[in-house]
Amino acid sequence: MNPFTERVLKTIRSIPSGSVMTYGQVAREAGNPRAARQVARILHSMSQKHSLPWHRVINAKGEIAVKDDETALEQQLDLEDEGVVVINKKVNLQEFQWRI
């Protein structure tokens, strides 16, 4: 596993319950501010294997970006179970964004 991937996994694991980070924010924290899409790929391929709280990562607009409706609903329900308010697949970043 390359160092950037390891830092992405560490950053995602650090997001506390009830908070979210954006793909770009995770990329910045992991040392490559232009790698938001790479963060998405890492989440897609490694979330299950590494038991990542993937549901806590959303896009820069505060939206659930997952295209699959069933998975998007799962993400919304997981966030709501943690106390994050989701309205029309959108989270208020002012209120719920985690800042390291």
Side-chain angles (χ1 to χ4, degrees), residues 10-21 51-57 75-85 91 95-100:
K10 181 180 178 186
T11 300
I12 293 168
R13 284 189 190 107
S14 77
I15 306 168
S17 176
S19 297
V20 297
M21 288 180 80
S51 300
L52 297 175
W54 64 272
H55 61 282
R56 297 180 187 151
V57 182
Q75 183 174 13
Q76 178 174 335
L77 294 174
D78 286 349
L79 287 170
E80 290 174 344
D81 283 347
E82 295 181 352
V84 176
V85 177
V91 173
E95 187 173 352
F96 295 102
Q97 187 172 24
W98 176 247
R99 299 198 189 325
I100 295 176

Side-chain angles (χ1 to χ4, degrees), residues 2-9 11 21-42:
N2 72 48
F4 176 73
T5 300
E6 288 178 9
R7 290 190 303 268
V8 166
L9 298 179
T11 300
M21 288 180 80
T22 67
Y23 295 98
Q25 186 183 6
V26 171
R28 279 191 303 279
E29 290 296 328
N32 189 348
R34 301 187 73 197
R37 288 183 185 204
Q38 189 172 350
V39 169
R41 285 192 292 276
I42 291 167

Side-chain angles (χ1 to χ4, degrees), residues 20 58 61-62 84-87 90-97:
V20 297
I58 59 177
K61 296 177 184 176
V84 176
V85 177
V86 181
I87 300 171
K90 192 164 185 173
V91 173
N92 181 336
L93 290 176
Q94 297 279 52
E95 187 173 352
F96 295 102
Q97 187 172 24

Side-chain angles (χ1 to χ4, degrees), residues 34-75:
R34 301 187 73 197
R37 288 183 185 204
Q38 189 172 350
V39 169
R41 285 192 292 276
I42 291 167
L43 273 172
H44 179 74
S45 64
M46 298 185 161
S47 287
Q48 191 169 16
K49 179 179 179 183
H50 293 276
S51 300
L52 297 175
W54 64 272
H55 61 282
R56 297 180 187 151
V57 182
I58 59 177
N59 73 17
K61 296 177 184 176
E63 298 168 341
I64 292 174
V66 178
K67 301 286 187 231
D68 177 67
D69 288 337
E70 188 174 318
T71 306
L73 179 59
E74 179 184 351
Q75 183 174 13

